């Protein structure tokens, strides 16, 4: 994307890969290596425009929108994208749960970003494109955090991608996660409706804070099991805010075991030594109508071995 870092204004048309994406995420994708603090600064100053109008970072783009990008003079490191698959790594095609008529559903492994970025040359989408060169169109329909495993939806047709984005905006899908939290949760059912505010920390990393001034967010939690010091919950997303489940649980006093951003850091170190070396958050099920055929689908990803083994360890110690 060197053509975007020049001494003149650039205009881009939003294609199917950018439709439904937030302006800040669109800029981050096209201006890889440019600090996010700089991207938010040019947004706040009005230098970035959509269809000649000022926009905020959360504006969702539509197909055909014209984006004005000012000259970018920040020196950005070049990330060399692999053109061949690394030897001995995970093969994502072996983790496909469903693939039919424009919809591809993957069981994403933990520890893998959904797309390449700063410090990451090969994410899920880049690797899948290498593994499936026959797919002329392949785009993420939504995202999962790097350390979250489980059901991830992608589109292999533009029409399916647009339909999936419309369904998400209309809350027409049921997304469920398993989370193991620290502490003994008592409610069989609990609704948390705590607004969430996104910000950048001193290192320029994205963080989320429970705040009355934030965007509305709603998660439904259902208790699955209890142990002396842990509880297994199912989380149902009613909204899809960044880090929503993690922040709602931390705000409630029940951080997710192994969460390196919002968790109990001393406890995480102990857990890593006793068997849990990742965040215990897994997207285990999505119920959705097929975006093109309308067929009702229930797509499930089994709990990964490292998580089910840790639960078995808790049972043995009980």
């Amino acid at each position: 994307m060197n053509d975007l870092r020049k001494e003149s204004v650039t205009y881009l048309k939003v294609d199917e890969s950018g439709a439904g994406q937030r302006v800040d995420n669109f800029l981050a994708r096209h201006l890889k290596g440019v600090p996010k603090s700089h991207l938010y600064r040019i947004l706040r100053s009005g230098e970035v425009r959509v269809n000649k109008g000022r926009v905020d970072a959360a504006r969702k783009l539509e197909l055909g929108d014209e984006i004005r990008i000012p000259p970018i003079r920040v020196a950005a490191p070049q990330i060399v994208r692999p053109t061949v698959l690394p030897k001995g790594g995970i093969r994502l095609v072996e983790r496909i749960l469903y693939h039919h008529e424009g919809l591809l559903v993957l069981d994403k492994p933990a520890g893998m970003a959904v797309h390449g970025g700063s410090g990451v040359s090969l994410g899920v989408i880049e690797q899948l494109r290498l593994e499936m060169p026959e797919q002329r169109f392949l785009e993420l329909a939504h995202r999962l955090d790097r350390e979250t495993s489980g059901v991830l939806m992608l589109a292999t047709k533009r029409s399916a991608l647009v339909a999936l984005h419309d369904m998400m905006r209309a809350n027409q899908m049921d997304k469920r996660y398993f989370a193991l939290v620290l502490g003994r949760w008592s409610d069989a059912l609990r609704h948390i409706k705590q607004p969430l505010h996104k910000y950048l920390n001193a290192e320029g990393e994205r963080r989320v804070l429970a705040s009355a001034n934030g965007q509305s967010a709603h998660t439904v939690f259902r208790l699955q099991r209890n142990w002396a010091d842990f509880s297994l919950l199912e989380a149902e997303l009613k909204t899809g805010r960044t880090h929503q489940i993690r922040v709602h649980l931390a705000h409630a006093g029940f951080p997710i075991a192994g969460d390196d951003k919002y968790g109990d850091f001393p406890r995480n170190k102990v857990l890593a030594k006793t068997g849990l070396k990742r965040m215990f958050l897994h997207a285990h099920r999505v119920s959705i109508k097929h975006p093109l055929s309308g067929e009702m689908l229930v797509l499930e990803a089994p709990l990964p071995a490292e998580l089910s083994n840790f639960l078995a360890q808790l049972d043995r110690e009980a």
Side-chain angles (χ1 to χ4, degrees):
M1 291 296 170
N2 290 335
D3 58 321
L4 296 180
R5 299 188 185 94
K6 56 188 180 182
E7 298 300 314
S8 61
V9 171
T10 300
Y11 291 90
L12 294 179
K13 282 280 189 182
V14 176
D15 60 15
E16 57 273 5
S17 67
Q21 196 170 36
R22 286 171 49 119
V23 171
D24 55 351
N25 293 333
F26 179 91
L27 291 174
R29 179 160 65 92
H30 284 275
L31 298 170
K32 295 188 185 301
V34 177
K36 287 192 174 180
S37 57
H38 185 77
L39 298 181
Y40 285 107
R41 185 159 58 249
I42 61 175
L43 276 165
R44 287 193 300 269
S45 68
E47 294 176 81
V48 174
R49 304 226 167 187
V50 176
N51 301 329
K52 300 183 180 180
R54 293 175 68 123
V55 292
D56 61 24
R59 161 71 183 272
K60 293 288 184 71
L61 296 170
E62 297 181 4
L63 190 66
D65 280 348
E66 183 180 69
I67 300 179
R68 175 195 188 275
I69 299 178
I72 303 295
R73 300 182 180 89
V74 177
Q78 297 298 308
I79 298 175
V80 179
R81 301 292 181 196
T83 56
V84 295
L85 288 166
K87 294 181 179 179
I90 294 172
R91 290 297 175 261
L92 296 179
V93 291
E94 299 173 0
R95 302 178 67 92
I96 292 175
L97 301 170
Y98 179 89
H99 185 198
H100 182 67
E101 198 179 347
L103 178 64
L104 188 151
V105 181
L106 184 73
D107 182 4
K108 186 188 90 66
M112 189 172 193
V114 293
H115 55 75
S118 179
V120 179
S121 62
L122 197 67
V124 168
I125 188 66
E126 290 86 8
Q127 180 164 330
L128 266 182
R129 286 170 179 158
L130 290 176
E131 291 188 41
M132 304 176 71
E134 73 281 3
Q135 290 293 337
R136 296 180 62 186
F137 182 92
L138 184 60
E139 295 291 344
L140 293 162
H142 66 115
R143 286 159 172 71
L144 292 177
D145 293 342
R146 182 171 183 165
E147 293 306 320
T148 303
S149 55
V151 178
L152 178 68
M153 294 182 291
L154 302 96
T156 58
K157 291 182 179 179
R158 184 189 66 81
S159 55
L161 181 67
V162 172
L164 285 167
H165 286 163
D166 289 343
M167 294 165 73
M168 289 179 206
R169 282 192 288 269
N171 196 26
Q172 293 175 341
M173 59 181 66
D174 185 336
K175 297 162 75 173
R176 305 288 179 104
Y177 294 69
F178 283 138
L180 185 74
V181 299
L182 306 181
R184 193 170 177 85
W185 185 281
S186 58
D187 299 336
L189 177 69
R190 185 190 299 187
H191 291 255
I192 294 183
K193 299 179 180 180
Q194 176 63 51
L196 301 176
H197 171 68
K198 288 199 294 187
Y199 67 98
L200 295 177
N201 65 12
E203 289 73 40
E205 297 175 334
R206 181 174 55 181
R207 291 290 187 275
V208 178
L209 176 70
S211 169
N213 298 322
Q215 292 183 302
S216 62
H218 180 191
T219 315
V220 182
F221 294 100
R222 295 175 175 87
L223 178 63
Q224 305 296 299
R225 293 189 64 188
N226 274 135
W227 292 267
D229 300 314
F230 298 91
S231 302
L232 181 65
L233 308 178
E234 182 188 64
E236 176 188 356
L237 285 177
K238 294 296 188 181
T239 55
R241 307 301 182 198
T242 301
H243 299 169
Q244 178 174 317
I245 296 172
R246 301 164 70 175
V247 179
H248 272 174
L249 286 170
H251 181 71
F254 292 86
I256 297 177
D259 189 339
D260 64 356
K261 286 185 173 64
Y262 308 100
D264 183 325
F265 306 133
R267 287 283 301 277
N268 287 347
K269 290 182 179 179
V270 174
L271 290 172
K273 294 177 181 178
T274 58
L276 185 64
K277 301 181 186 300
R278 55 160 288 196
M279 179 173 64
F280 200 123
L281 183 60
H282 176 71
H284 82 95
R285 187 177 76 209
V286 172
S287 301
I288 184 176
K289 286 185 178 180
H290 191 288
L292 299 183
S293 72
E295 176 190 1
M296 191 64 203
L297 302 173
V298 179
L299 306 159
E300 297 183 309
L303 204 61
E306 69 271 18
L307 300 187
S308 59
N309 289 343
F310 188 74
L311 296 184
Q313 180 180 321
L314 292 181
D315 285 338
R316 291 192 297 270
E317 295 171 354

